[in-house]
C-alpha cells in the first residue's frame, strides 16, 4: 500500500508542477482544474526539464530536489498571487462553451452510441491499468532504450557518470533525449526503488491524458457525439494498445504524440486568435517534443514554418513573424542546455549521421524514395495497426476537396501531416542505421520502426477528419 | 439525415466490431496478467517474464558483486541487452558471435572479472577470472 501512496505522491507532484507552471505563464487559475491534460503535459515536461537543468549544473538528482522544485514553484505562484491578486483574468486554451452545449443532439440512438463509446474507452483503460499493476515492463523499446537510462539516472543521481554514456548499456542511443528517462526516474525517486511495474502507470497516464485532450479539443469544434465517436475510435487504435511503444510500455512514442498533439492545438489556437500569451507555452511544448525524441525537434521546425505559411494576410504576417521570432528565441534558450550537453558530453558510439550528408550521398540514396514512400503509406493503411484511421483520413480529404470547404485549421493540419511524412521519408532515405547503402537493410528498418511516424500522425489525422466531416 | 451524420454512423459501424474484438483481447490479457502475476514478489514476476534467462540472471545477482564486469557467451543479442538492463550496475560484455577458443585469456586481456558459459544442458556456469 505504501508504494501506491508514494506513486500517488509522484503524480500529485507532476500535476502541481504543471499547475504552477501554467499559472506562472498566465493561465486562468479557475480554468486549470478543468484541464488535467494540460497540467500533466506541462507537469511532466516541466519537471523533467527542471531535473535536467539541476543535473546539468552538477546538482544531485534526488527526491529532495524534486520537492524543492515544487516548493519553489508554489512560492513563485504565491508571490504572483500576492502581487497581482485574483482580479486579473488570465488566458485559457479554449474560450467559451463547447460546441455540444450550443447545438447538442439528443434521442435514443444518441444515448446508446454515447454509452457504447464511453464503455469502449473505459474497458481499454481498466485492462491496461490491470496489466500495468501486475506485469513488469519487458518490451524491447523500454529495456533497450529508455529504462536503462532511467535506472542510471536514479542510481548515479547525475548525468555525468562514467556509465551514462557507456555505449553498450544504453544500446548505442546515448544521444536520445532525456525527458522520458527523467520522468521515469522521478517515479523511482518517489518510490525509493526501481520498480519496473509501477513505473508503467506513468505511461498509462500519458495515454489517459491524451484521450482527454483529444476529446476536449474535438468537442470545441464538432458536436459531442462526433467527438465521442472519434475519441472512442482513437482510444481503440490497436497500435496504441498492443505491441512495442503502446500505452502500457515505457517508451517515448505516446509521450511524443501527446506533446505533439497539444502543440498542434496551441498552434491552431494561436493562428486563429493571435494571442501573444500562447507564445511561451508553445515554445515550451516544442521543447518538450524535442526533449522527448530526436524527431520532435524537426516537428517543431515544421510547426513554425506552417504558422508562417498560414498567416492570414501581409499585415498579419508581420505580427506572426515577430511572435515566431520570439518563440524561436525562447525555444533555443530552453534547448541550449540539452544541446550543449549532447554535443560536449555524449560520445556518439555510432557514425555521426548528420556529418555524412553530402550532396553525393543524398543523390546516391535518392532512389530509395521509390520504396520508402509506398512502404510508409502501406504502414499507415495497415488495418491491424491503425484500424481504418488512414482510410477515414483519405475519405475526409476527398470529401473536403469535393465540398470545397477549406477551413484554415484543416489546411494547417494537412500541411503539418504532409511535412511530417516528407520528413520521415527523407530520414529513412538518408538513414545510416544498420549499415548504410544497403536497401534491404533500409526496408527492414522501415518495417520495424515505420509505425513510429504514425503515433504522432494518426491523432492529427483523426482530428482533421473530424473537422472535415462536421 | 445529414451526410455528416451518415458518415459518422458508417464509421461507428465499421469501428464497433474492432472495438469489441480489441476489448476481448485486452480483457484476456488483463485476466492473464492478473492470474499469472498477482500475489507474486517482484523477483518472481521478473522470473516469469524472463523465463529461460532467469537462471542466468539469478545466478549473476547472487554470485557476483554489483561493481563487476561479466562476459556472457552464446546468448542471442536481444537476451544480452535484457540481461544488461536487469544486471545493472554490473557491466555486461558479449562477443560479436565469433568463437572464442580461450575464454579466460580473452577476459583477462579485457579486464573482465567473470564469464558465463553454458553446459550441454544449457545450464549457466559462472567462472571467476583469476
Amino acid at each position: 500500500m505504501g508504494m501506491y501512496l508514494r506513486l500517488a505522491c509522484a503524480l500529485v507532484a507532476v500535476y502541481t508542477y504543471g499547475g504552477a507552471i501554467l499559472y506562472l505563464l498566465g493561465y486562468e487559475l479557475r480554468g486549470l482544474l478543468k484541464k488535467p491534460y494540460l497540467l500533466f503535459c506541462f507537469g511532466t515536461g516541466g519537471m523533467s526539464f527542471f531535473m535536467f537543468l539541476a543535473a546539468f549544473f552538477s546538482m544531485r538528482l534526488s527526491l529532495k530536489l524534486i520537492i524543492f522544485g515544487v516548493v519553489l514553484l508554489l512560492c513563485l505562484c504565491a508571490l504572483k498571487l500576492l502581487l497581482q491578486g485574483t482580479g486579473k483574468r488570465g488566458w485559457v486554451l479554449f474560450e467559451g462553451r463547447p460546441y455540444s452545449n450550443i447545438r447538442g443532439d439528443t434521442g435514443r440512438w444518441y444515448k446508446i452510441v454515447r454509452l457504447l463509446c464511453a464503455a469502449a474507452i473505459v474497458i481499454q483503460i481498466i485492462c491496461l491499468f490491470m496489466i500495468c499493476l501486475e506485469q513488469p515492463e519487458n518490451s524491447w523499446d523500454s529495456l533497450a532504450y529508455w529504462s536503462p537510462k532511467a535506472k542510471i539516472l536514479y542510481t548515479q543521481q547525475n548525468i555525468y557518470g562514467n556509465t551514462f554514456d557507456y555505449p553498450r548499456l544504453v544500446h548505442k542511443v546515448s544521444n536520445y533525449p532525456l525527458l522520458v528517462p527523467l520522468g521515469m526516474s522521478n517515479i523511482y525517486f518517489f518510490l525509493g526503488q526501481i520498480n519496473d511495474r509501477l513505473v508503467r502507470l506513468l505511461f498509462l497516464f500519458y495515454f489517459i491524458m491524451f484521450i482527454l485532450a483529444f476529446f476536449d479539443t474535438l468537442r470545441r469544434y464538432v458536436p459531442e457525439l462526433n467527438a465521442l465517436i472519434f475519441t472512442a475510435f482513437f482510444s481503440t487504435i490497436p497500435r496504441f494498445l498492443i505491441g512495442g511503444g503502446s500505452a502500457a510500455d515505457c517508451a517515448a512514442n505516446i509521450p511524443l504524440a501527446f506533446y505533439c498533439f497539444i502543440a498542434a492545438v496551441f498552434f491552431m489556437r494561436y493562428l486563429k486568435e493571435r494571442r501573444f500569451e500562447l507564445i511561451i507555452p508553445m515554445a515550451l511544448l516544442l521543447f518538450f517534443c524535442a526533449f522527448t525524441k530526436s524527431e520532435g525537434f524537426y516537428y517543431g521546425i515544421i510547426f513554425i514554418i506552417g504558422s508562417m505559411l498560414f498567416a492570414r494576410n501581409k499585415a498579419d504576417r508581420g505580427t506572426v513573424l515577430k511572435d515566431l521570432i520570439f518563440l524561436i528565441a525562447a525555444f533555443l534558450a530552453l534547448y541550449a542546455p540539452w544541446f550543449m550537453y549532447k554535443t560536449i558530453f555524449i560520445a556518439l558510439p555510432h557514425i555521426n549521421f548528420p556529418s555524412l550528408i553530402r550532396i553525393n550521398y543524398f543523390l546516391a540514396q535518392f532512389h530509395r524514395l521509390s520504396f520508402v514512400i509506398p512502404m510508409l503509406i502501406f504502414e499507415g493503411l495497415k488495418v491491424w495497426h491503425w484500424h481504418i484511421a488512414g482510410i477515414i483520413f483519405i475519405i475526409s480529404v476527398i470529401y473536403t476537396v469535393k465540398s470545397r470547404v477549406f477551413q484554415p485549421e484543416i489546411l494547417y493540419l494537412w500541411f503539418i501531416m504532409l511535412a511530417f511524412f516528407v520528413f520521415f521519408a527523407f530520414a529513412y532515405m538518408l538513414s545510416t542505421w544498420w549499415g548504410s547503402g544497403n536497401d534491404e537493410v533500409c526496408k527492414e528498418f522501415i518495417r520495424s520502426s515505420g509505425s513510429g511516424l504514425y503515433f504522432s500522425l494518426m491523432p492529427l489525422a483523426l482530428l482533421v477528419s473530424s473537422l472535415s466531416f462536421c | 439525415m445529414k451526410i455528416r451524420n451518415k458518415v459518422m454512423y458508417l464509421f461507428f459501424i465499421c469501428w464497433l466490431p474492432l472495438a469489441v474484438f480489441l476489448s476481448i483481447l485486452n480483457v484476456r490479457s488483463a485476466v492473464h496478467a492478473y492470474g499469472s502475476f498477482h500475489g507474486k514478489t517482484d523477483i518472481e514476476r521478473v522470473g516469469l517474464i524472463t523465463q529461460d534467462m532467469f537462471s542466468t540472471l539469478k545466478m549473476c545477482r547472487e554470485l557476483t558483486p554489483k561493481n563487476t564486469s561479466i562476459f556472457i557467451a552464446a546468448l542471442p543479442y536481444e537476451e544480452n541487452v535484457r540481461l544488461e538492463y536487469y544486471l545493472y550496475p554490473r557491466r555486461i560484455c558479449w562477443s560479436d558471435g565469433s568463437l572464442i577458443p580461450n575464454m579466460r585469456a580473452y577476459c583477462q586481456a579485457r579486464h573482465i572479472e567473470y564469464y558465463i558459459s553454458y553446459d550441454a544442458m544449457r545450464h549457466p556456469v559462472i567462472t571467476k577470472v583469476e
Side-chain angles (χ1 to χ4, degrees):
Chain A
M1 197 64 196
M3 293 301 264
Y4 294 109
L5 266 176
R6 282 163 177 259
L7 182 70
C9 289
L11 291 170
V12 169
V14 166
Y15 282 98
T16 312
Y17 261 85
I21 290 169
L22 279 167
Y23 178 64
L24 290 172
L25 291 174
Y27 202 92
E28 174 66 37
L29 193 58
R30 280 173 219 140
L32 276 175
L33 287 176
K34 292 179 195 164
K35 297 275 179 282
Y37 60 89
L38 277 187
L39 299 185
F40 188 78
C41 172
F42 284 86
T44 46
M47 187 185 264
S48 292
F49 180 55
F50 175 75
M51 287 169 79
F52 175 72
L53 218 52
F56 183 74
F57 291 110
S58 299
M59 290 167 81
R60 275 169 71 89
L61 295 173
S62 64
L63 183 60
K64 277 182 196 162
L65 180 86
I66 297 166
I67 293 170
F68 169 74
V70 176
V71 174
L72 183 73
L73 282 171
L74 288 179
C75 288
L76 289 173
C77 288
L79 196 69
K80 188 186 172 192
L81 204 63
L82 275 173
L83 292 174
Q84 197 177 281
T86 49
K88 195 186 170 193
R89 271 183 67 85
W91 57 274
V92 286
L93 182 58
F94 296 110
E95 298 276 5
R97 290 181 301 170
Y99 189 101
S100 55
N101 289 358
I102 304 163
R103 259 172 43 191
D105 294 318
T106 49
R108 195 161 57 101
W109 277 109
Y110 171 77
K111 282 176 185 162
I112 292 170
V113 170
R114 199 167 70 158
L115 193 72
L116 282 172
C117 289
I121 297 169
V122 171
I123 287 171
Q124 310 309 326
I125 290 171
I126 290 174
C127 291
L128 288 174
F129 195 75
M130 272 178 72
I131 293 168
C132 289
L133 278 183
E134 296 296 344
Q135 199 170 330
E137 176 61 290
N138 194 36
S139 73
W140 170 256
D141 272 20
S142 169
L143 263 51
Y145 306 132
W146 307 106
S147 297
K149 284 190 168 191
K151 209 170 184 177
I152 298 168
L153 286 167
Y154 174 72
T155 48
Q156 295 198 346
Q157 297 185 287
N158 67 58
I159 53 173
Y160 298 113
N162 60 355
T163 53
F164 193 74
D165 64 343
Y166 175 45
R168 272 281 175 76
L169 188 63
V170 290
H171 192 58
K172 299 183 180 178
V173 288
S174 43
N175 60 331
Y176 272 24
L178 289 177
L179 190 144
V180 166
L182 282 164
M184 290 169 74
S185 66
N186 158 47
I187 301 284
Y188 295 154
F189 281 121
F190 270 93
L191 294 177
Q193 59 170 251
I194 291 161
N195 192 313
D196 295 326
R197 190 166 48 92
L198 294 183
V199 75
R200 298 177 86 180
L201 286 172
L202 174 71
F203 295 87
L204 182 58
F205 262 78
Y206 266 109
F207 187 57
I208 295 170
M209 293 302 128
F210 200 172
I211 292 171
L212 277 180
F214 191 80
F215 178 66
D216 192 44
T217 305
L218 248 63
R219 71 188 184 130
R220 300 285 161 170
Y221 293 97
V222 302
E224 192 183 72
L225 183 65
N226 298 18
L228 201 57
I229 290 176
F230 271 97
T231 309
F233 195 96
F234 167 75
S235 66
T236 51
I237 284 181
R239 200 63 189 79
F240 286 146
L241 303 171
I242 299 162
S246 63
D249 273 3
C250 304
N253 291 341
I254 288 197
L256 176 65
F258 175 62
Y259 294 127
C260 188
F261 182 81
I262 305 261
V265 174
F266 266 78
F267 270 89
M268 277 162 62
R269 301 307 296 173
Y270 171 76
L271 283 176
K272 196 172 183 186
E273 296 162 7
R274 301 283 185 272
R275 280 186 285 155
F276 185 74
E277 309 92 82
L278 296 177
I279 292 293
I280 297 287
M282 279 154 64
L284 270 169
L285 285 164
L286 294 191
F287 170 70
F288 296 159
C289 288
F291 200 39
T292 304
K293 270 185 116 179
S294 303
E295 59 257 44
F297 180 82
Y298 301 98
Y299 288 0
I301 295 172
I302 291 167
F303 276 124
I304 292 170
I305 294 171
S307 307
M308 270 314 298
L309 291 175
F310 287 88
R312 276 177 294 214
N313 50 47
K314 263 190 179 174
D316 198 34
R317 211 161 278 166
T319 321
V320 173
L321 187 66
K322 273 184 211 161
D323 286 355
L324 291 183
I325 288 171
F326 187 77
L327 184 147
I328 293 167
F331 169 76
L332 290 177
L334 292 165
Y335 193 72
W338 165 242
F339 181 76
M340 281 164 66
Y341 172 75
K342 191 170 73 159
T343 318
I344 300 167
F345 299 107
I346 295 284
L348 280 176
H350 55 81
I351 306 157
N352 191 359
F353 171 60
S355 68
L356 268 180
I357 304 173
R358 302 269 187 277
I359 189 74
N360 287 345
Y361 179 76
F362 186 89
L363 293 173
Q365 305 299 342
F366 202 74
H367 72 280
R368 280 186 179 177
L369 284 181
S370 62
F371 65 82
V372 169
I373 292 173
M375 281 182 81
L376 283 178
I377 292 172
F378 178 67
E379 171 60 40
L381 296 174
K382 274 182 187 168
V383 175
W384 59 96
H385 275 181
W386 305 106
H387 194 218
I388 53 166
I391 298 163
I392 290 179
F393 173 68
I394 291 168
I395 296 171
S396 81
V397 172
I398 295 167
Y399 178 80
T400 309
V401 171
K402 217 176 166 189
S403 61
R404 294 181 184 182
V405 182
F406 297 107
Q407 293 175 42
E409 284 93 350
I410 292 178
L411 291 175
Y412 180 69
L413 288 173
W414 278 359
F415 171 80
I416 296 292
M417 292 173 64
L418 182 69
F420 279 14
F421 187 89
V422 170
F423 161 71
F424 256 76
F426 276 94
Y428 278 118
M429 183 191 99
L430 297 169
S431 167
T432 56
W433 274 82
W434 299 0
S436 57
N438 186 339
D439 289 354
E440 286 311 308
V441 169
C442 182
K443 282 178 190 173
E444 190 51 44
F445 187 33
I446 297 171
R447 274 183 217 113
S448 63
S449 66
S451 62
L453 160 68
Y454 289 97
F455 272 94
S456 301
L457 215 56
M458 279 307 172
L460 297 179
L462 285 176
L463 173 65
V464 77
S465 305
S466 70
L467 295 181
S468 303
F469 288 121
C470 303
Chain B
M1 197 189 264
K2 283 181 187 171
I3 187 155
R4 181 188 77 194
N5 290 348
K6 278 183 190 168
V7 172
M8 280 298 123
Y9 280 109
L10 189 68
F11 286 163
F12 182 74
I13 289 162
C14 291
W15 164 78
L16 206 56
L18 177 97
V20 172
F21 176 67
L22 260 177
S23 299
I24 292 168
L25 272 185
N26 244 351
V27 169
R28 279 178 60 178
S29 300
V31 170
H32 172 75
Y34 188 82
S36 310
F37 294 92
H38 187 68
K40 300 264 192 305
T41 61
D42 279 339
I43 191 74
E44 285 170 338
R45 288 172 206 256
V46 171
L48 282 171
I49 54 168
T50 50
Q51 295 177 351
D52 295 348
M53 207 171 67
F54 188 61
S55 52
T56 311
L57 178 65
K58 204 173 162 208
M59 194 177 69
C60 288
R61 276 187 178 171
E62 285 170 0
L63 299 178
T64 63
K66 280 188 176 176
N67 286 320
T68 190
S69 47
I70 305 168
F71 183 85
I72 297 175
L75 269 187
Y77 177 71
E78 194 173 310
E79 286 193 21
N80 285 327
V81 173
R82 285 175 197 272
L83 263 182
E84 195 163 42
Y85 169 72
Y86 286 116
L87 289 174
Y88 178 82
R90 297 165 186 85
R91 284 196 176 210
I92 306 299
C93 314
W94 61 84
S95 72
D96 54 4
S98 51
L99 196 69
I100 299 162
N102 187 340
M103 194 78 85
R104 190 175 294 274
Y106 181 89
C107 291
Q108 270 173 342
R110 286 160 183 78
H111 307 288
I112 297 169
E113 292 173 62
Y114 293 87
Y115 66 85
I116 292 171
S117 49
Y118 291 84
D119 63 17
M121 301 295 289
R122 296 289 301 158
H123 293 141
V125 180
I126 192 160
T127 313
K128 189 168 175 20
V129 182
E130 298 299 336

